[in-house]
Amino acid sequence: MTDEPNRTSFFSPARVSVIAGSTFTQLVRMKVFYLLLVFVMLAIGMHLLPDLPHTSGPEALGAEKLRMIKSTLVGFMKLFAVILGIVSTALLIPRDLEDRTLYTILSKPVPRLDYLVGKLLGVLLLIFVGLAAMTLLLSFVLHYQTELVLTERITIAERLGWDQDAIAAERAEILRHGVTWSLMAGIVALFFEAGVIAAVALLVSTFSSSTIFTVVTSSLVYFIGSFIADGREYWLNQSAVGDEVLVRLAAQVLSVIFPDFRLYGITDAAVGGDTIPLGILAKLTGITVMYIGIYTVLSWFVFADKEI
Amino acid sequence: MHLKTTGKLIVVLIALAVTGLAKLPLEQRIASDLREARLLPRPLDLDTREKLGQTSFAIVLGGLRSLVAAMLNLKAHNHWEKQEWFELEKDYRTITTLQPRVRYYWETAAWHLAYNAYADYRDKPGVPAARARTLQRQFQKKGIAFLELGTENLPDDWRMWVALGNLLRDPHKERDLPGAAAAYAEALERDGVPERIRRLHLYTLAVIPGRTEDAWKAMQDVWAVESNRHFPSVRSLYFALQHARLPAAERLPLDAIYPDRPTALLDLSWHWNRRDEGLPMNGVREAIESLLREFPIPEKYDPLGAEPGRWGGFPPDLLQSR
C-alpha cells in the first residue's frame, strides 16, 4: 500500500477504446445493421435493372448502367452514414442519462473527455463497419456488372468492325466506371463527412438533452455547410452596397462558423467516374481531423463541468 | 445554470469563429485544388433549383447530385417515349447542371435533340412542313449547343469533341464541315485518341472547298501510320491529294500506294463514284482510264460511265480472272 492517491491520467486510449467498444455494441443492439438488408435488396434490385432501350446513340451507354448502380448504392451509403452519424450521436448522451449508464461511468475515474471521445469513436466504428460491408457488396455487384457490360460492348464493337485502339478506348472507358481506387477514395470521403457531422452532433448534444433538437440542429448545420461556401464566394464577388453589406457579412460569419461540407463532394465526382488524386484525399483527411478535433474539444469544454 | 449554459454557448461560438478564421484559408485552398481538378460541384442557379423542386433540391444539397441526375435521366427517357422534346430538353439542362462532368448526359441530350427530335419532326402529324423544318433546325442547334457546352465542361475528353464533330458533319443535316474539322482537330490534341479520329479529320478536311493544303498536311500524319494505309479511302485520297499538291516527279507511283493494280482500279473506281461528295478527284479519272486499258471489262461495269453514287462495283473475281 502507498499513501500516494490514485491519479487518473488526463486521457487514456485504453479507456477510450473500452467506451468505444461498448458504444458500438449498444448501437448494434439497436438493430442498425438491419439497414444492410435494405442495401442488399437495393443491390440485387440494381443488378436486375433493365437497360434503357436505346437501340443506338451515345457510345457511353454501357458506362451509364454502371453509374446508375454506383449513384444509387453510394447514395444509400451516404444516407446511411450521415443519418446514422447524426441520429446515433444525438441518442447517446440522452440514452446514457436515461438508463443511468452515464452516472455509472462518470462515478469511476473516467475523465469526461475519454467518455466523449469514446462515444464518438463508437459511432464512427459503427459507420465504418457498415460502410465497409456495403463497399464489399457494392464492389462485388459493380465488378460483376462491369464484366457483363464490358463483354456486351466489346462484342458489339467487334461486330461493328471497330479497330483495336477504339476497342481499347471503349474498354478503358467502361473500366473507369467499375471498381476503382477513386471510387474507394469517394467512399472514404463519405466516411469523413459522416465523421464531421457526428462530431457536430456531439457538440450540440452536450448543450441539449433533447434528441430531436440535436438531430434537427445537426441536420441544419449539414445543409447550411453544404452551400454556405458557395454563398460566401458569390457575395465576395459582388459589389456590396446598402443592405447587401449586411448579407455579405452574414454569409461571411456563417461560412466561418460552419464546416464546408462542399469539399466532400468528391464522392459525387468519384461516382461520375472522375479520378481523385491522392493529394486531395490527404488534404481532406487533414481538414477532417481538424474539424473533428475542434468540435470534440468544444464538446469537452461544455461537458467538462456540466451538472448531470 | 441557465446563465452558465448561455455563457458557454457564447464562448463556443467565439471559439468556432476564431478556429473558423484559421480553417478558412485551408478550406479555400482545398476548394481551389478541387476546382483545378474539376472535382468541385458547381453551385446551382435559381433556375435549376426551381426545376428540381424542394425534395430533389434537398437531396442535391445533401451531396447526392449523381443520384438525382440518374433519376432525372429516367424521367427524360419517358419524355423521349412520348416525344415531348421541350420537356426532355429541360430535363437534360438540369441533369447536365447537376453532373457536368458526365459525358453520357451531354451526348444523350444532343442525341435526343439533334437526332431523335430532328427525325421526329420530319413527319410529325399535325405540324405544317415549314414549321417542322424550323423545329428540325432548332433542335439540331440545341443538340450542337449541348455538345459545345459539353466540350467546355470536359475539355480534355476527346470523345466529347468527336461527338461534336460527328454531329456537325452529319450528311443528313445542315453541315458545318469547317466546324467539324476544328472539333476533330481539338480531339487530336488530347491524349488517348484512336487513329480513326485522325482519318475522320482527314476525310472532313478533304471535302471542304479550299482546304486541300490542310487536307494534304493531315494526310502526312495519317500516311505516317502504316495501319492507316490499308484503308481504301485513305489510299485513294492520298492518290488524289498528291496529284493536287505535288509535282509529278515527287508523287508516289500507283504501285507504292496500292498493294496491286486490280485493287488500285477497284479503290479508285469507288473513290470516283463519290465525286458528288466534294472529294478531290485530281488524276483519278486518268488513272482509272489507264488501268481499264490493262484490265478490259464489260461496258456495263465501267465506273467512268456511271452517275455519281450509282456505280455498283465489279462482279466478284472479275479483276482476279484477268
Side-chain angles (χ1 to χ4, degrees), chain B residues 105-143:
Chain B
Y105 294 133
W106 295 110
E107 278 187 345
T108 309
W111 179 61
H112 279 313
L113 299 174
Y115 293 94
N116 297 332
Y118 187 93
D120 183 43
Y121 280 111
R122 190 175 296 146
D123 51 4
K124 202 171 180 71
V127 182
R131 169 90 180 127
R133 185 74 198 122
T134 308
L135 285 167
Q136 275 189 313
R137 272 198 291 266
Q138 210 178 70
F139 278 103
Q140 184 190 352
K141 280 180 184 165
K142 285 175 192 287

Side-chain angles (χ1 to χ4, degrees), chain B residues 304-321:
Chain B
L304 299 175
E307 291 290 309
R310 298 278 179 180
W311 185 63
F314 297 120
D317 303 331
L318 177 71
L319 296 178
Q320 274 71 20
S321 63

